[in-house]
Amino acid sequence: MAASDAHKMSNLSKAELHALPGVSAPDPATNGFVFQQTMFRIKDPKASLDFYTKALGMTLLERLDFADMQFSLYFLGYADPAKIPEDRKERVQWMFAQPACLELTHNWGTESDPGFKGYHNGNSDPRGFGHIGIAVPDVEAACKRWEEMGVAFQKKPADGKMKGIAFIRDPDGYWIEVLDPRSSTAFVDWNSSNH
Protein backbone atom coordinates (compact mmCIF):
# COMPACT_ATOMS: atom_id res chain seq x y z
CA MET A 1 0.00 0.00 0.00
CA ALA A 2 1.39 3.43 -0.94
CA ALA A 3 1.82 6.01 1.79
CA SER A 4 -0.73 8.30 0.10
CA ASP A 5 -3.28 5.45 0.10
CA ALA A 6 -2.62 4.80 3.78
CA HIS A 7 -3.12 8.51 4.55
CA LYS A 8 -6.38 8.60 2.58
CA MET A 9 -7.59 5.51 4.42
CA SER A 10 -6.70 6.98 7.81
CA ASN A 11 -8.74 10.13 7.13
CA LEU A 12 -12.09 8.44 6.69
CA SER A 13 -15.32 10.33 7.15
CA LYS A 14 -17.89 8.77 9.46
CA ALA A 15 -19.86 7.56 6.41
CA GLU A 16 -16.71 6.03 4.86
CA LEU A 17 -15.83 4.40 8.17
CA HIS A 18 -19.23 2.74 8.39
CA ALA A 19 -19.04 1.67 4.72
CA LEU A 20 -15.82 -0.35 5.12
CA PRO A 21 -16.05 -3.93 3.81
CA GLY A 22 -17.63 -6.22 6.37
CA VAL A 23 -19.22 -3.43 8.42
CA SER A 24 -22.98 -3.65 8.93
CA ALA A 25 -25.36 -1.24 10.60
CA PRO A 26 -26.41 -2.60 14.00
CA ASP A 27 -29.37 -4.92 13.69
CA PRO A 28 -32.31 -3.65 15.79
CA ALA A 29 -32.36 -7.13 17.33
CA THR A 30 -29.10 -6.19 19.10
CA ASN A 31 -30.56 -3.14 20.88
CA GLY A 32 -29.65 -3.41 24.55
CA PHE A 33 -26.52 -5.51 23.91
CA VAL A 34 -23.54 -4.35 26.03
CA PHE A 35 -19.87 -5.33 25.85
CA GLN A 36 -19.81 -6.58 29.42
CA GLN A 37 -16.50 -8.28 30.16
CA THR A 38 -13.03 -9.42 29.21
CA MET A 39 -11.65 -12.43 31.09
CA PHE A 40 -8.10 -13.12 32.24
CA ARG A 41 -7.02 -16.33 33.93
CA ILE A 42 -4.90 -15.50 36.97
CA LYS A 43 -2.49 -17.41 39.18
CA ASP A 44 -2.97 -15.62 42.52
CA PRO A 45 -6.13 -13.62 43.31
CA LYS A 46 -4.47 -11.73 46.18
CA ALA A 47 -1.74 -10.34 43.89
CA SER A 48 -4.16 -9.61 41.05
CA LEU A 49 -6.79 -7.94 43.23
CA ASP A 50 -4.10 -5.80 44.87
CA PHE A 51 -2.87 -4.70 41.43
CA TYR A 52 -6.25 -3.92 39.90
CA THR A 53 -7.75 -2.22 42.96
CA LYS A 54 -4.66 -0.38 44.25
CA ALA A 55 -2.61 0.35 41.13
CA LEU A 56 -5.48 0.81 38.66
CA GLY A 57 -8.17 2.05 41.05
CA MET A 58 -10.80 -0.48 40.01
CA THR A 59 -13.54 -1.63 42.37
CA LEU A 60 -14.27 -5.28 43.09
CA LEU A 61 -17.90 -5.61 42.04
CA GLU A 62 -18.51 -9.28 42.86
CA ARG A 63 -16.93 -12.67 43.51
CA LEU A 64 -18.59 -15.89 42.43
CA ASP A 65 -17.30 -19.26 43.66
CA PHE A 66 -17.89 -22.60 41.96
CA ALA A 67 -16.74 -25.21 44.49
CA ASP A 68 -17.74 -28.22 42.39
CA MET A 69 -15.46 -27.02 39.57
CA GLN A 70 -12.85 -25.46 41.91
CA PHE A 71 -12.65 -21.96 40.51
CA SER A 72 -13.66 -18.43 41.45
CA LEU A 73 -14.54 -15.41 39.34
CA TYR A 74 -13.70 -11.86 40.41
CA PHE A 75 -15.40 -9.01 38.55
CA LEU A 76 -13.84 -5.54 38.60
CA GLY A 77 -14.72 -2.24 37.01
CA TYR A 78 -14.75 1.51 37.36
CA ALA A 79 -17.90 2.01 39.40
CA ASP A 80 -18.92 4.11 42.37
CA PRO A 81 -18.89 1.68 45.35
CA ALA A 82 -21.91 3.52 46.78
CA LYS A 83 -23.96 2.42 43.76
CA ILE A 84 -23.22 -1.29 44.19
CA PRO A 85 -26.35 -3.03 45.55
CA GLU A 86 -26.09 -4.58 49.00
CA ASP A 87 -28.46 -7.47 48.24
CA ARG A 88 -26.40 -10.27 46.70
CA LYS A 89 -28.82 -11.26 43.93
CA GLU A 90 -29.43 -7.63 43.00
CA ARG A 91 -25.67 -7.02 43.03
CA VAL A 92 -24.95 -9.94 40.67
CA GLN A 93 -27.68 -8.83 38.28
CA TRP A 94 -26.46 -5.21 38.44
CA MET A 95 -22.85 -6.28 37.88
CA PHE A 96 -23.70 -8.31 34.77
CA ALA A 97 -25.33 -5.19 33.29
CA GLN A 98 -22.22 -2.99 33.72
CA PRO A 99 -20.14 -2.26 30.61
CA ALA A 100 -16.42 -2.98 30.29
CA CYS A 101 -15.83 -5.16 33.33
CA LEU A 102 -12.74 -7.25 33.88
CA GLU A 103 -13.34 -10.87 34.93
CA LEU A 104 -10.45 -12.58 36.68
CA THR A 105 -10.73 -16.38 36.73
CA HIS A 106 -8.81 -18.22 39.43
CA ASN A 107 -8.49 -22.00 39.20
CA TRP A 108 -7.96 -23.03 42.80
CA GLY A 109 -4.48 -24.16 43.75
CA THR A 110 -2.47 -22.35 41.06
CA GLU A 111 -1.29 -19.78 43.62
CA SER A 112 0.54 -22.45 45.64
CA ASP A 113 1.57 -24.86 42.87
CA PRO A 114 5.36 -24.60 42.33
CA GLY A 115 5.00 -26.40 39.00
CA PHE A 116 2.44 -23.94 37.61
CA LYS A 117 4.13 -21.95 34.84
CA GLY A 118 1.42 -19.32 34.34
CA TYR A 119 -0.76 -18.37 31.42
CA HIS A 120 0.08 -17.18 27.90
CA ASN A 121 -0.54 -13.41 27.58
CA GLY A 122 -0.92 -13.50 23.79
CA ASN A 123 2.07 -11.24 23.06
CA SER A 124 4.63 -13.93 22.28
CA ASP A 125 4.39 -16.67 19.67
CA PRO A 126 1.85 -17.83 18.90
CA ARG A 127 0.44 -14.31 19.06
CA GLY A 128 -3.24 -13.74 19.63
CA PHE A 129 -4.81 -11.61 22.31
CA GLY A 130 -2.87 -8.36 22.79
CA HIS A 131 -3.98 -6.12 25.64
CA ILE A 132 -6.73 -4.25 27.41
CA GLY A 133 -6.62 -0.46 27.68
CA ILE A 134 -7.48 2.22 30.18
CA ALA A 135 -7.88 5.95 29.71
CA VAL A 136 -6.31 8.24 32.30
CA PRO A 137 -6.29 12.03 32.64
CA ASP A 138 -2.47 12.25 32.71
CA VAL A 139 -0.30 9.41 31.38
CA GLU A 140 2.95 10.83 32.78
CA ALA A 141 1.51 11.26 36.30
CA ALA A 142 -0.04 7.78 36.24
CA CYS A 143 3.26 6.25 35.12
CA LYS A 144 5.24 8.12 37.75
CA ARG A 145 2.92 6.73 40.44
CA TRP A 146 3.16 3.19 39.05
CA GLU A 147 6.93 3.43 38.83
CA GLU A 148 7.01 4.38 42.53
CA MET A 149 4.74 1.39 43.27
CA GLY A 150 7.03 -1.02 41.40
CA VAL A 151 4.57 -1.78 38.59
CA ALA A 152 6.18 -3.56 35.63
CA PHE A 153 6.35 -1.59 32.38
CA GLN A 154 6.32 -2.98 28.88
CA LYS A 155 6.65 0.52 27.37
CA LYS A 156 7.03 3.92 29.00
CA PRO A 157 5.46 7.05 27.44
CA ALA A 158 8.72 8.34 25.90
CA ASP A 159 9.73 4.95 24.43
CA GLY A 160 9.24 3.85 20.83
CA LYS A 161 7.52 5.67 17.99
CA MET A 162 4.14 6.05 19.71
CA LYS A 163 4.93 8.71 22.29
CA GLY A 164 2.54 9.53 25.10
CA ILE A 165 1.13 6.05 25.58
CA ALA A 166 2.39 3.39 27.94
CA PHE A 167 1.97 -0.32 28.49
CA ILE A 168 2.14 -1.82 31.96
CA ARG A 169 1.95 -5.49 32.96
CA ASP A 170 -0.22 -7.08 35.62
CA PRO A 171 1.07 -9.84 37.94
CA ASP A 172 0.31 -12.50 35.31
CA GLY A 173 2.07 -10.60 32.52
CA TYR A 174 -1.05 -9.31 30.73
CA TRP A 175 -0.47 -5.97 29.01
CA ILE A 176 -2.52 -2.86 29.77
CA GLU A 177 -2.33 0.09 27.40
CA VAL A 178 -2.52 3.48 29.10
CA LEU A 179 -3.59 6.56 27.15
CA ASP A 180 -5.01 10.03 27.55
CA PRO A 181 -8.04 10.48 25.24
CA ARG A 182 -7.14 14.15 24.69
CA SER A 183 -3.83 13.25 23.05
CA SER A 184 -5.27 10.40 20.96
CA THR A 185 -6.06 12.80 18.11
CA ALA A 186 -2.38 12.46 17.10
CA PHE A 187 -3.31 9.05 15.66
CA VAL A 188 -5.60 10.71 13.09
CA ASP A 189 -2.70 12.31 11.23
CA TRP A 190 -0.21 9.51 11.94
CA ASN A 191 0.48 8.68 8.28
CA SER A 192 1.07 12.29 7.25
CA SER A 193 3.45 13.25 10.06
CA ASN A 194 7.09 12.47 10.62
CA HIS A 195 7.75 10.26 13.63
Side-chain angles (χ1 to χ4, degrees):
M1 176 184 311
S4 59
D5 292 336
H7 180 67
K8 183 176 186 253
M9 288 182 64
S10 67
N11 285 297
L12 299 173
S13 68
K14 184 174 159 183
E16 291 169 325
L17 177 69
H18 292 165
L20 286 174
V23 176
S24 298
D27 186 315
T30 64
N31 286 347
F33 285 20
V34 173
F35 179 77
Q36 200 276 322
Q37 62 187 254
T38 294
M39 186 273 272
F40 287 159
R41 289 180 178 86
I42 60 168
K43 177 180 179 174
D44 182 353
K46 183 177 177 186
S48 294
L49 291 171
D50 182 66
F51 174 83
Y52 284 102
T53 60
K54 188 186 295 178
L56 294 189
M58 289 183 162
T59 298
L60 180 62
L61 307 176
E62 184 56 80
R63 184 187 82 186
L64 298 172
D65 300 313
F66 299 88
D68 58 328
M69 295 180 277
Q70 298 195 331
F71 72 89
S72 295
L73 306 177
Y74 299 85
F75 293 89
L76 298 110
Y78 288 106
D80 180 352
K83 294 184 178 180
I84 300 172
E86 190 62 44
D87 177 82
R88 184 84 193 280
K89 289 186 177 182
E90 285 180 35
R91 185 168 64 239
V92 169
Q93 186 176 9
W94 171 87
M95 182 273 300
F96 277 117
Q98 300 308 299
C101 290
L102 181 63
E103 174 188 354
L104 302 178
T105 298
H106 173 237
N107 294 300
W108 299 355
T110 55
E111 71 281 8
S112 58
D113 179 356
F116 182 72
K117 302 214 185 310
Y119 296 106
H120 188 277
N121 70 11
N123 289 298
S124 58
D125 290 333
R127 292 181 187 256
F129 176 83
H131 62 271
I132 60 171
I134 62 167
V136 299
D138 185 332
V139 173
E140 292 288 343
C143 289
K144 182 177 186 295
R145 177 177 169 268
W146 291 325
E147 198 163 11
E148 291 167 357
M149 295 174 76
V151 169
F153 282 82
Q154 186 65 34
K155 176 197 177 301
K156 293 189 177 180
D159 295 345
K161 282 188 168 186
M162 298 186 97
K163 307 294 185 204
I165 65 169
F167 283 85
I168 58 175
R169 294 190 309 269
D170 82 350
D172 291 281
Y174 296 112
W175 294 13
I176 299 131
E177 181 177 5
V178 183
L179 60 88
D180 177 343
R182 295 170 300 171
S183 60
S184 64
T185 56
F187 301 137
V188 173
D189 293 320
W190 184 266
N191 292 311
S192 63
S193 61
N194 295 320
H195 310 292

